Amino acid sequence: MEIQQKWLYRLVFTLLTLLIIYMIVQLAPLLSPISAMIRALVLPVGIAVLLTYLLHPLVEKMHDSGMSRPLAVLLIFLLIVFTLGFLLTIGLPSFIKQIQHAFETIPAQIRELERETQRLQQYIETLPAPLQTQTQEWRVQLVQMGESAFDQIEQAALFLIKSMFSFIVIPFLVFFFLKDHDAIRRISWYVTPRKWRDALKKYIKDVDHTFGSYIRGQLLVSLSVFIISTIGLWIIGVPYPILLGLFMGAMDLIPYFGPFIGAVPAVIIAFLQSWQLGVATIILIFVIQQIEGNILSPVIVGKTLHLHPALIILALLVGVEVGGFLGMLIAVPILAIGKVTLLHIRFHFMKD
C-alpha cells in the first residue's frame, strides 16, 4: 500500500509539472520581456560562474595556507591582470599586424581560390558522367559548409560586439562570487530541504569530479596546442601564425572533429603560398595532433568522462545541429553532467 501511494504521488507530481510547463508555453508571448531580461543575464552570469568554478580551487589553496579570502582573490586578479598585460604588450602588436596583413591579402587569396575553383571545374567536366555528378555534389556540399562556417563566424563576431557591455561586468561578478563563496554556499545549504542535502552534496561532488576535471584539463590542452601550433607555424613560415594557432587551439576544445576543423585554414593558407609549404604544414599538424592525442590529452585530461566515443560523437552532432559552434563546445560537458544526473536519479529510485 505504501509503494502504491509513493507511485501515485510521483504520478501527480509529474502531471502537475507537465501542466505548469504547458501553461508557461502558452503564456510565453506575455513573458517575452522577462525572457529577454533573462537572456541578457545568462551570458555574463554563466561565464562568471564558470570562471569562478575554475579559479575557486586556487583560492581555496591560498585560503587554507592562512591567507584571507579577499586577499587571495585580489592577488589572483592582480596576477591575471599582469599576465594579460605582459602578453598583450608582447603579442598584441604582432597580432594587430597579422590582422591588418590578413585584411590586405585576403581579397587576393580569395581571387586565387576562385581561379583554382574554375580550374577544378574544368577538370571535373572532363570526368565520366557518374564521377562528374558525384564530384559536383561534393563540391556543392563543401561550398555550403564553407558559407555556413563564415555565417556562424560573422554572427559570433556581431554577438560579441553587442555583448561587450556584458563582458565588462564579468570580472566584478567573479570577484564577488569568489570572495563571498562561503556565504553563497551557506545560503544555498539553508534553502535546500534537509532531506535532500546529503544526496545533493554527493551529486555536486560527482559533477565536480567529472565536469571540473574535464574542463580544466581540456582548457590546458587547448592552451598547449595554441602555443605549439603558433611556434610551429612561425618556424616553417606560414603567414598569420598567431591567428591560425589561436584558431587551432580554440577548435581543440571540440573532441574528435575540432583538430581537423582547426587545421583547415592553416593548410589552405599554406598551399596558397606554395605546395612545399602546404605539405610541411600538413606534416606539422600531423605531429601536433599526435602529441595532443598521445601525450597531452592522456596525461592532462585522462579518462575523466568515462563515456563511449559513439556517445560523444552523437552529442557533438546534436550540439552542432541545435547550437552551431557553441553547441559543439558545450555538448560534451552537458552530456557528462547528464550522465551523472541519470545515475543519481536511478540510484534514488532504486533506493526507494
Side-chain angles (χ1 to χ4, degrees):
M1 191 67 180
E2 184 178 350
I3 296 176
Q4 292 179 348
Q5 287 179 347
K6 283 185 177 180
W7 280 103
L8 180 62
Y9 169 75
R10 289 171 182 166
L11 179 62
V12 172
F13 179 77
T14 303
L15 291 174
L16 286 174
T17 303
L18 293 174
L19 179 62
I20 291 171
I21 294 173
Y22 174 76
M23 291 176 64
I24 292 173
V25 171
Q26 294 298 316
L27 294 173
L30 299 176
L31 300 175
S32 56
I34 299 175
S35 64
M37 181 182 67
I38 293 174
R39 284 197 302 270
L41 292 174
V42 164
L43 179 67
V45 173
I47 295 176
V49 169
L50 179 60
L51 292 175
T52 303
Y53 178 74
L54 295 174
L55 294 174
H56 177 253
L58 183 58
V59 175
E60 284 297 310
K61 287 182 180 180
M62 296 173 69
H63 182 57
D64 292 340
S65 66
M67 188 179 297
S68 67
R69 185 176 294 275
L71 180 59
V73 176
L74 183 60
L75 288 177
I76 290 173
F77 265 69
L78 289 175
L79 178 62
I80 292 172
V81 169
F82 280 123
T83 304
L84 289 176
F86 177 74
L87 293 175
L88 289 175
T89 302
I90 294 177
L92 189 60
S94 300
F95 189 73
I96 293 174
K97 286 181 182 178
Q98 290 186 20
I99 292 176
Q100 291 174 342
H101 187 259
F103 278 114
E104 292 171 358
T105 57
I106 280 176
Q109 291 174 346
I110 291 175
R111 288 193 295 270
E112 180 65 24
L113 282 175
E114 290 175 350
R115 286 194 292 269
E116 292 296 329
T117 304
Q118 291 174 359
R119 294 193 193 102
L120 180 62
Q121 180 66 32
Q122 292 171 0
Y123 173 74
I124 290 173
E125 291 174 355
T126 63
L127 295 173
L131 287 176
Q132 190 176 139
T133 303
Q134 186 62 52
T135 308
Q136 288 284 14
E137 290 179 0
W138 288 343
R139 179 174 169 272
V140 170
Q141 290 175 0
L142 285 174
V143 171
Q144 290 176 346
M145 288 172 61
E147 291 176 349
S148 175
F150 277 114
D151 288 341
Q152 289 191 12
I153 292 172
E154 183 181 0
Q155 291 174 5
L158 291 173
F159 177 75
L160 290 175
I161 293 171
K162 291 179 181 178
S163 306
M164 194 61 67
F165 178 76
S166 299
F167 292 138
I168 294 174
V169 304
I170 290 174
F172 299 97
L173 291 175
V174 174
F175 179 83
F176 288 112
F177 286 165
L178 287 171
K179 184 178 74 71
D180 300 327
H181 178 267
D182 289 340
I184 294 172
R185 186 173 59 182
R186 283 197 300 269
I187 293 171
S188 302
W189 185 256
Y190 287 136
V191 300
T192 303
R194 189 177 298 274
K195 64 178 182 179
W196 293 357
R197 288 178 181 176
D198 292 337
L200 188 61
K201 187 176 181 180
K202 188 176 186 309
Y203 170 72
I204 293 173
K205 183 179 179 181
D206 289 345
V207 169
D208 175 61
H209 175 71
T210 302
F211 176 77
S213 301
Y214 173 76
I215 289 295
R216 294 186 184 98
Q218 201 66 29
L219 286 173
L220 187 55
V221 170
S222 178
L223 177 62
S224 303
V225 169
F226 160 60
I227 295 172
I228 296 171
S229 302
T230 301
I231 295 173
L233 293 171
W234 175 69
I235 289 174
I236 65 175
V238 179
Y240 329 124
I242 298 177
L243 289 174
L244 295 174
L246 185 63
F247 183 74
M248 292 171 68
M251 290 299 103
D252 199 73
L253 291 171
I254 302 172
Y256 300 118
F257 303 121
F260 297 100
I261 298 173
V264 171
V267 172
I268 292 174
I269 290 175
F271 270 107
L272 287 174
Q273 303 299 313
S274 68
W275 69 267
Q276 295 94 335
L277 186 59
V279 173
T281 304
I282 291 175
I283 294 173
L284 173 67
I285 290 172
F286 175 77
V287 172
I288 292 172
Q289 290 183 2
Q290 293 302 308
I291 294 173
E292 187 269 344
N294 297 313
I295 299 176
L296 295 176
S297 289
V299 172
I300 297 175
V301 180
K303 296 183 178 180
T304 55
L305 291 180
H306 301 290
L307 291 170
H308 195 278
L311 286 176
I312 295 177
I313 292 173
L314 289 174
L316 292 172
L317 293 175
V318 173
V320 72
E321 186 67 28
V322 174
F325 173 69
L326 181 61
M328 291 185 74
L329 280 178
I330 65 175
V332 176
I334 289 176
L335 177 64
I337 295 173
K339 176 197 171 185
V340 174
T341 304
L342 287 175
L343 289 175
H344 276 262
I345 291 174
R346 179 174 173 269
F347 175 76
H348 174 73
F349 280 108
M350 287 179 62
K351 186 173 68 174
D352 291 343

